[in-house]
Amino acid sequence: MAQPLSQITSLPLPLLRDNVDTDQIIPSREMKSTGKTGLAGGLFAGWRYIGTSGREPDPAFVLNNPRYAQSEVILAGRNFGCGSSREHAVWALAEFGFRAILAESFAPIFAGNCVRNGIVPIVLEADAIAAISVSDAPVTIRLDEQDVTSADGQRWTFAIDAEAKAMLRHGLDAIDLTLQQAQRIAEWQGCDRAARPWIYLEETA
Amino acid sequence: MRSTPRWRPPLSEPLTLFDRIWRSHVVASLEGGADLVAIDRIFLHERTGAAALNALAAAGRKVADPARVFAVTDHIVDTRPGRTDQTLMPGGQAFIAETRAATQAAGIRLFDVNDPDQGIVHVISPELGIVLPGATLIAPDSHTCTQGAFGALAWGIGSSEAEHAMATGTLRLKKPGTMRVTFSGTLPALVTPKDMALALIARYGAGGGAGHAVEFAGDAVRALGMEGRMTLCNMATEFSAMTGMIVPDEKTFAWLEGRRYAPAGPAWDAALAHWRTLISDAGARFDREIEIDAGTLAPMISWGTSPEHAVGIDQCVPEDAPQRALDYIGLEKGTSLRGIRIDAAFIGSCTNSRLSDLRQAAALLRGKLVADGVKAICVPGSSRVKREAEAEGLDRVFVEAGFEWRESGCSMCFYAGGESFGHGARVASTTNRNFESRQGPNVKTHIASPATVAASALAGCLADPREIT
Ligand code: SF4
């Protein structure tokens, strides 16, 4: 379960490309086990390392720039996290130490995966992204206030679902929350079984 | 005495297909505006399935109703003839073995490596009647939207959500907006559902459907067979939509009748009566509407590294193409797409690997030879498709033309560290993603229909299927 999160102050890592897909975030060849860990080394492997098999850092890629070594926030363009639904992309980002992503837009499955793993997906207008990029200085993200502020005093608010906010804020586990409604689910299924009996299959294994 | 009622219920408001399915699955409204939505079917594959099942078991939780969960080995499994658990991907065997163990422990039906029903998840789920009209179906795989072709609400999720759905039979979801994409008119010859999808994404962007569930409608969609409808819905995720879906009709019902897990006997009649109510009402309001005249479409080809980077095969790389994409793909602005030399051709994937796709390609390949130096591969979408194609002699057409004929699976649709086309190879491919290195290190992918890929394989360069005689 993710750690509760209320405020982050960090220099954002600029990754201002559109359509950064999950194959780039964690290449399929880097998903070497069926577990959720051991992925940080493969984060952005295709861009981060020289060649496709080695681990020699490519100095041209921003993740290898010592200036951003402590960044906990990514600054991105449009449609971040598109492509494959692999949650490994978010596990790799979280394991590496990222806790928020500021982007013009997100792919929906990716944004959902972020929330479940303690990363805040924040949508900002293009001009806000540009301003943060130009200043290249730390920003502060406050979840309760739903705002991002820059060191020079600019402030942008963002929208987030109440449920996503509560889950991130308190590190809640969605399954536990839902199981509180087990009675209700059973009742619903009772009615549904009468209305759509064909949906309920006998043992198939 | 006749009494005049003082109050009459308002005429029910017109609903979209999406709203109908959503409403009928809401178990509870949650604080903050999300809904608890019941999930009818879950499909796992060996790439991510074991992770979800193992995490669930580690948390001491059980799969609530294993009879409605299925699993398959399709992503990592080898597709060369005579396959076993051995994979070219290092460590791939562990994914297969762990999936086998985890599904068995949970009581989940697995379509294993050499099961006669094995195949790509989104191909076999309809073949087996696992997806049904009006059902909610999820899989930890983004192309689950393929199955919306049956009038189901089917979409891809992450592993954590798969765990949630297996443990609770539900998901906590914020309702998306609705969008209708209407393809009017009639598709010209050799222009296919793949070209419809690529044209839509090229025109409205890879993020064009974000936040929406898309219904595909219009004469050109109605005219498609079920397989073509699946191709169209398959790429809803490349459009960033939650899903794509099509109102089910008599074609849908006829296609499903008699399938293994579809209802039978009196249950079939009851289901059919229900399914016939699954329409979008005439006055239903969509949050967004897009209209495209299918009659104006041409065979499409991608030139860059996003599915939105696509044009008609008779066009050139656009002047406003982003430099980064051009650097990767090794093309310049203004270059004509037709005539660009290719190293390989790939026919397969959940987008275009069904019988009608193979027939379309075979019709062009019959009696001809793939150009020298082109590595050509055909991978049927399921073991059933493979058997049916072989019964028609399509395998011989492919092999005699110079194609490899494979066992079914995802194969080289994506690169997992095993087989590839060779570093930097240029491939004409019927898959859905032309991302950097998607099909192997530095592989340059041009996505297109089976007809365009077959034509290109013959020509040795990107080619217009309308010009093959
Ligand atoms: S065929 Fe390709 S896109 Fe389809 S499920 Fe397999 S890997 Fe994914």
Side-chain angles (χ1 to χ4, degrees), chain B residues 170-373:
Chain B
T170 64
L171 281 179
R172 308 170 77 90
L173 295 169
K174 189 92 187 282
K175 191 174 170 190
T178 53
M179 180 190 298
R180 177 162 56 189
V181 178
T182 305
F183 285 95
S184 58
T186 310
L187 274 182
L190 291 169
V191 182
T192 72
K194 177 65 155 288
D195 303 306
M196 295 162 80
L198 284 171
L200 168 70
I201 298 164
R203 222 172 272 187
Y204 293 92
H212 291 80
V214 172
E215 179 180 320
F216 293 108
D219 290 346
V221 173
R222 293 269 127 239
L224 295 177
M226 291 315 299
E227 301 192 350
R229 293 181 188 184
M230 283 188 251
T231 301
L232 180 58
C233 289
N234 176 269
M235 293 194 68
T237 189
E238 272 65 51
F239 192 46
S240 289
M242 173 201 188
T243 189
M245 57 204 310
I246 295 172
V247 168
D249 59 13
E250 296 306 316
K251 278 187 206 173
T252 319
F253 310 142
W255 204 93
L256 286 171
E257 191 167 9
R259 304 271 172 184
R260 164 114 47 99
Y261 295 100
W268 171 262
D269 296 330
L272 202 56
H274 174 78
W275 296 342
R276 289 208 166 104
T277 68
L278 296 170
I279 57 166
S280 280
D281 293 314
R285 233 190 50 76
F286 290 81
D287 298 312
R288 281 189 62 196
E289 295 257 17
I290 285 175
E291 191 150 344
I292 293 176
D293 179 355
T296 63
L297 300 181
M300 300 289 290
I301 186 86
S302 73
W303 51 261
T305 55
S306 160
E308 71 186 15
H309 297 157
V311 292
I313 181 73
D314 46 6
Q315 294 179 21
C316 300
V317 177
E319 290 302 325
D320 61 353
Q323 194 55 45
R324 207 191 138 72
L326 295 181
D327 289 346
Y328 180 84
I329 208 81
L331 295 178
E332 286 171 13
K333 294 172 187 172
T335 307
S336 156
L337 270 308
R338 214 169 21 176
I340 292 171
R341 301 218 53 86
I342 57 168
D343 303 300
F346 181 82
I347 296 178
S349 90
C350 56
T351 321
N352 282 125
S353 64
R354 287 165 286 263
L355 198 56
S356 57
D357 299 311
L358 304 192
R359 282 182 185 148
Q360 184 184 66
L364 290 161
L365 295 173
R366 199 177 296 274
K368 299 199 181 69
L369 283 178
V370 167
D372 276 349

Side-chain angles (χ1 to χ4, degrees), chain A residues 28 34 87 163 176 178 199, chain B residues 47 61 98 159-160 172:
Chain A
S28 202
T34 56
E87 197 157 319
E163 166 140 335
D176 285 340
T178 300
I199 279 294
Chain B
R47 188 73 172 138
R61 290 175 174 135
E98 286 189 41
S159 297
S160 300
R172 308 170 77 90

Side-chain angles (χ1 to χ4, degrees), chain A residues 17 19 21 23-24 28-29 31-34 36 47 52 78-79 83-85 87-88 91 108-109 113 116 161-163 173-179 181 184-185 188-189 196 198-205, chain B residues 24-27 30 32 36 38 40-41 47 51 61 67-68 70 95 98 107 109 140-142 156-161 163-164 170 172 174 206 240 261 263 271 274 308 324 414-416 433 435-436 438 441:
Chain A
R17 304 172 183 180
N19 301 315
D21 61 80
D23 282 70
Q24 307 311 328
S28 202
R29 62 179 182 276
M31 293 157 53
K32 294 185 178 116
S33 82
T34 56
K36 301 182 175 184
W47 292 338
T52 42
R78 279 191 304 126
N79 202 24
S84 158
S85 63
E87 197 157 319
H88 306 70
W91 295 333
I109 300 174
N113 286 342
R116 289 175 197 274
D161 286 356
E163 166 140 335
D173 183 291
I175 298 180
D176 285 340
L177 280 182
T178 300
L179 287 176
Q181 312 233 27
R184 189 126 186 208
I185 296 169
W188 185 91
Q189 283 183 349
R196 296 186 310 155
W198 63 86
I199 279 294
Y200 296 82
L201 298 169
E202 301 304 319
E203 212 175 295
T204 50
Chain B
S24 67
H25 283 81
V26 172
V27 174
L30 303 170
L36 192 61
D40 296 325
R41 300 277 185 270
R47 188 73 172 138
R61 290 175 174 135
R68 293 194 285 152
F70 297 85
F95 284 81
E98 286 189 41
R109 176 71 162 95
D141 189 284
S142 52
I157 50 161
S159 297
S160 300
E161 283 190 300
E163 288 172 41
H164 187 284
T170 64
R172 308 170 77 90
K174 189 92 187 282
S240 289
Y261 295 100
H274 174 78
E308 71 186 15
R324 207 191 138 72
F414 82 117
Y415 177 70
R433 290 193 173 134
F435 298 158
E436 292 180 25
R438 164 79 178 180

